Amino acid sequence: MPGPRVVIIGAGVVGAALADELSVRGWTEVTVVDQGPLPATGGSTSHAPGLVFQTNSSKTMTELARYTVEKFRSLDVEGQPCYLPVGGLEIATSPERSAELQRRHGWLTSWGIESRLIGPDECVELHPLVNRERVLGGLFIPTDGLAKAVLAVEAQLKAAQDRGVRALAHHEVLDIRTEDGRVSAVVTDQGEIPADIVVCCAGIWGPKIARMVGMNLPLTPLAHQLAWTGPVPAIAGQTEEAARPILRHQDADLYYRDRFDQLGIGHYGHRPMPIDPDDILSVDAAEQMPSVLRFTEDDFANAWTETQNLLPATKDAKVEEGINGLFSFTTDGLPLLGESPDVKGFWVAEAVWVTHSAGVGRAVAEWLVDGHCSSFDLHECDVNRFEPHQLAPAYVLARDCQNFAEVYDILHPLQPAGAPRPLRTSPFHPRQQELGGYFLEAHGWERPQWYATNEHLLAGRNIPTPDDWAARYWSPIVGAEAQATRESVALYDMTALPRLEVTGRGAAAFLQSMTTANVIKSVGSVTYSLMLDHDGGIRSDVTVARLGRDRFQVGANGNLDLDWLTRHLPEDGSVQVRDVTAGTCCIGLWGPNAREVLQPLADKDFSSKGLRYFRAQHAHIGSVPVTAMRLSYVGELGWELYTTADMGLKLWDTLWEAARPYCGIAGGRGAFNSLRLEKGYRAFGTDMTYEHDPYEAGVGFAVKMDKGDFIGRAALERRAADVRRRLTCLTIDDPLSVVMGKEPVYDGDRPVGYVTSAAFGYTIGKGIAYAWLPAELATTGRALTIGYFDQRIPAVVAEEPLFDPTMQRLRG
């Protein structure tokens, strides 16, 4: 079967890769259209410098790049290779960058990419033009290299055409027709092309194409400077196009590549230069090509000075040509992949650089053909991940420009985003400010990490101080808040965690089919459950509270959960789903004295028998109506207390006043994270993602195979008997050794896994790191090490949970 009728808009390196990958899978009713000539269409691909570098803090992005390298190495056009495997060299000219290269080496080791840290002499040996006096060391990745992007387009399009795919040059897309909420045709200046599926791979024109179906695509084209020297005498006579590795000098926002006896110089250190997609010139009107703007020499002046210092041989050369080339940037620096939430059959594969292009082509092809992507975890890249405020034009422009400016910066994993802030504040925010809250951002919400007024809690406590890196965005108050929670009672702002309301006569049956646990229970039940993809991978973990016969509240992880549920709604209108987060708020009241604080305020019984663990009830706390759920993500007695946003401040004040006689405190996210890891609670997106199944992740207890059918059940039956890796708890005895996440784990000298979540356990007095390990190594007492910058930190596999394994405190 040739598959459905697919039209791919854009014949750049992404569109070509997708056409190739679809046709390999038997879908040949595919048409690729582009407004420009083939294979150099005039988009970003046509002027791309071709650097392929696999280093990324995102496992997914690294794996997309690795596949791109593997595929491009296999491609050629009439004997001309599409990839030059010259390697990649990142150099450090400052101590801070040296440390960053150690961290980046850790990522590569975690994700299975060969790399090595090298000294300055070897840097010069690999790239003899480098000034030895400037360099402190480097990171070398042997499989990095240079992609011949236009050749790669030609090779992949030819392979696709040989299988029956059509590629149409000089076809400008004017409109996309829809019927009954799904695509039906693509209208071009050469006529109309019927379509069951349309995939927008238009790059810098993506927002313009997406608007044709009413989709708001959060992408900004920004100009990036690329200059070429004339001949450099020191490499005169070089007959190979590239004899040295691609060179990245991130301390100065620069990179370099060979072109025979010339050098290409890429520069990110200039001012952001965004352009509206509607202002990009047409193919016919552009001087060179639409994606190329005139070179602004003043913006390049500092880059040229720095280049001559780092590569002294360039003093004997001149900058002879340059461009301001347009590339796509997004608010979080990640691609935009997936189907429109409103128009069925309209897909995007946008904001994809050459480095990740073939991987994205494969990922989207699998997604289209199989209904899910089996090769890559795409939750970070799904176009439907954004909250509504993250689609506002002002927000998109500000964050996209910020990501351009920070593209080579050293970014801490907890580093908060810049302007615009604040965006979302809970009703408790005024009180949190009065308490000296130190705020980070979560889903756009201002969320306290700790409170300055809790500094007095440090008296008499021994809170270990980690190294300088781990101590950023940290305070010893975090430890004091964690210990005080276990000693008495604390209020935690849980408003930032998304809440969905599922209602209707079919709500119970719908949620039963969407989740792994049995949620058809009595009113007042709360159930921890999972949502799976069709291949059995974890899409999310959720709590499902039955608040009425036909009304449920789902504690979710983000907008992708709303999107997933919405896409599966029955067509008969028997179920409705809506996000109620903004109109509600939540306080976690937790600690051994929580009942003493709450019960005198309440008009309902909050005793252990009156409201059992994982049950919910409506009540009044003072004059505030609440929905109380007996849950705790910190492993202590207590409740999640929900109310409407207008009553939130009153709820806080009521609880705060009642907690004062018990020395109650407000606790921040830093303490919360420590406490949840002591209890072994997983965080979706960090500890487990689409690529993991419940049995691997240690949440198989949330799967009830005897309840009937649910999405992913059949696949899970096949996976249950073959668990080859496990999410494993490690403890670290040295109180000063605190890892941050994504570090490699070693068995001897062999890298065997990577860290997900980590924190110091202030109750148990040890560091905690959860890590993915081969199943045979996940045995209690196994000694391993964690690579942290230039250290190897001893760790031991521990039985979990580390705190209150009998659940007495939770159920008391």
Side-chain angles (χ1 to χ4, degrees), residues 402-605:
Q402 178 183 344
N403 277 324
F404 176 89
E406 293 178 346
V407 72
Y408 278 172
D409 285 4
I410 299 171
L411 301 176
H412 192 275
L414 293 179
Q415 186 167 325
R421 278 184 72 193
L423 286 165
R424 309 172 83 181
T425 56
S426 79
F428 323 130
H429 191 66
R431 299 294 182 262
Q432 293 168 341
Q433 289 179 304
E434 292 167 7
L435 293 172
Y438 183 88
F439 295 93
L440 300 181
E441 188 184 39
H443 301 293
W445 295 93
E446 295 295 313
R447 185 167 65 185
Q449 195 75 357
W450 68 83
Y451 295 91
T453 53
N454 286 333
E455 188 173 11
H456 70 280
L457 296 173
L458 292 171
R461 301 180 190 273
N462 181 22
I463 307 296
T465 300
D467 69 278
D468 289 346
W469 180 254
R472 295 187 191 183
Y473 310 104
W474 176 89
S475 165
I477 296 171
V478 167
E481 290 177 357
Q483 292 178 354
T485 301
R486 298 242 187 264
E487 294 162 1
S488 183
V489 64
L491 281 68
Y492 285 85
D493 182 358
M494 304 298 289
T495 303
L497 296 179
R499 293 169 291 286
L500 309 178
E501 184 180 72
V502 182
T503 56
R505 56 184 168 81
F510 172 67
L511 287 172
Q512 188 79 339
S513 71
M514 295 298 297
T515 63
T516 61
N518 180 21
V519 300
I520 300 183
K521 300 176 182 176
S522 61
V523 172
S525 64
V526 183
T527 306
Y528 176 79
S529 189
L530 308 170
M531 293 196 296
L532 305 182
D533 212 328
H534 296 277
D535 65 348
I538 300 171
R539 286 196 65 96
S540 188
D541 66 334
V542 295
T543 53
V544 181
R546 190 169 198 174
L547 303 181
R549 182 181 181 275
D550 297 325
R551 184 166 70 91
F552 294 79
Q553 179 173 302
V554 176
N557 283 295
N559 209 56
L560 289 180
D561 292 347
L562 175 62
D563 180 70
W564 181 251
L565 291 172
T566 301
R567 288 180 188 278
H568 290 86
L569 287 174
E571 295 182 0
D572 62 5
S574 62
V575 185
Q576 298 81 44
V577 179
R578 67 188 185 105
D579 187 341
V580 297
T581 311
T584 58
C585 57
C586 179
I587 294 175
L589 180 72
W590 293 315
N593 290 327
R595 185 172 284 123
E596 281 75 6
V597 172
L598 188 66
Q599 187 62 77
L601 303 171
D603 64 349
K604 294 286 181 67
D605 184 2

Side-chain angles (χ1 to χ4, degrees), residues 182-200:
R182 68 170 309 118
V183 298
S184 60
V186 173
V187 180
T188 78
D189 60 352
Q190 303 288 325
E192 199 167 296
I193 306 170
D196 303 305
I197 294 171
V198 175
V199 188
C200 178

Side-chain angles (χ1 to χ4, degrees), residues 54-57 62 88 90 97-118 137-142 144 248 250 741-746 749 751 753-754 786-792:
Q54 299 162 90
T55 312
N56 201 294
S57 63
T62 297
E90 301 181 11
R97 184 64 63 176
S98 292
E100 172 70 356
L101 294 187
Q102 292 166 350
R103 188 167 70 115
R104 295 168 72 81
H105 173 59
W107 296 339
L108 289 164
T109 304
S110 291
W111 315 145
I113 301 290
E114 179 189 356
S115 66
R116 67 176 189 270
L117 293 163
I118 62 177
L139 173 64
F140 182 62
I141 305 95
D144 281 358
R248 297 211 288 167
Q250 289 144 308
K742 302 187 178 182
E743 297 88 356
V745 179
Y746 295 87
D749 290 330
Y754 60 91
I786 300 172
Y788 182 69
F789 291 93
D790 60 347
Q791 305 174 46
R792 289 286 184 90

